Amino acid sequence: MRADARKNYAQLLAVAREVVAEEGADASLRDIARRAGVGLGTLYRHFPSREALLDALLRESFDALTARAAELEATHSSGDALVAWLREAVAVAHNFRGAIEAMVAAIADEASALHASCQEMHAAGGRLLARAQAEGAARADLDGTDFFALLSALAWLRDQPALRARADHLFDVIAGAILTKG
């Protein structure tokens, strides 16, 4: 990639991160390009779709969550690792306000630019859940899809102004429902 193209790519990602944080995942791509000081065509050369841009924004966070799952597995009890990772995953999803809908859709859509990164995050959480279940620390009647749905619901709650104040309490309720009383 040419130096100017690398600069444009980095600038677009930096601006997109700010705009998505301010306006949500449905922010205007035209506004992102304008604020980055490039044309809309330049944005589309680097990111042919909104999902491709979201994937680039989310990839770093999802990779970090995948690595964090392995770290938590090595250093925490299975129940504590599961809840800590869930809390961190909800925070990541919330940082990209409005992206949860695209993330949920991407799990089932292999053609989505977000599919691979969402699958990796889904698998990391699934491994923590399976470990907790094998050790009797988590309900046996949940699977990775259920766990991802609960993560999605918790992230969605944080995006709702009327429910935001209840989000931490509801996180604790759901985490308590996932874990066994052992």
Side-chain angles (χ1 to χ4, degrees):
M1 186 182 299
R2 296 183 338 250
D4 62 328
R6 274 194 308 275
K7 180 183 169 210
N8 287 341
Y9 182 87
Q11 181 66 12
L12 281 164
L13 276 180
V15 169
R17 191 168 282 112
E18 290 173 15
V19 172
V20 168
E22 293 168 8
E23 300 175 22
D26 291 331
S28 164
L29 296 181
R30 185 176 306 279
D31 187 42
I32 291 170
R34 182 188 54 75
R35 286 175 58 175
V38 301
L40 192 56
T42 298
L43 182 142
Y44 280 115
R45 272 192 296 284
H46 289 289
F47 308 104
S49 67
R50 180 179 302 278
E51 284 184 339
L53 177 60
L54 284 174
D55 181 59
L57 290 172
L58 292 167
R59 170 62 67 176
E60 184 178 329
S61 297
F62 286 176
D63 288 350
L65 279 172
T66 299
R68 182 72 173 135
E71 179 184 313
L72 288 167
E73 189 171 17
T75 60
H76 289 69
S77 70
S78 61
D80 289 346
L82 183 66
V83 171
W85 187 88
L86 178 61
R87 187 175 303 280
E88 291 177 27
V90 168
V92 165
H94 176 67
N95 288 340
F96 295 95
R97 191 168 52 90
I100 199 68
E101 184 177 341
M103 291 165 52
V104 170
I107 289 290
D109 182 3
E110 292 181 16
S112 168
L114 281 168
H115 180 74
S117 57
C118 287
Q119 283 290 88
E120 290 169 16
M121 184 185 72
H122 187 283
R127 284 189 299 277
L128 289 173
L129 176 63
R131 175 181 171 233
Q133 289 170 325
E135 294 178 10
R139 295 171 61 130
D141 62 343
L142 295 174
D143 63 17
T145 300
D146 297 332
F147 187 63
F148 189 74
L150 291 171
L151 183 164
S152 301
L154 289 165
W156 178 85
L157 283 169
R158 288 203 176 276
D159 283 346
Q160 307 310 305
L163 300 173
R164 193 171 294 134
R166 309 269 318 139
D168 288 333
H169 168 70
L170 293 171
F171 179 93
D172 292 341
V173 168
I174 290 174
I178 292 170
L179 298 176
T180 58
K181 303 299 178 212

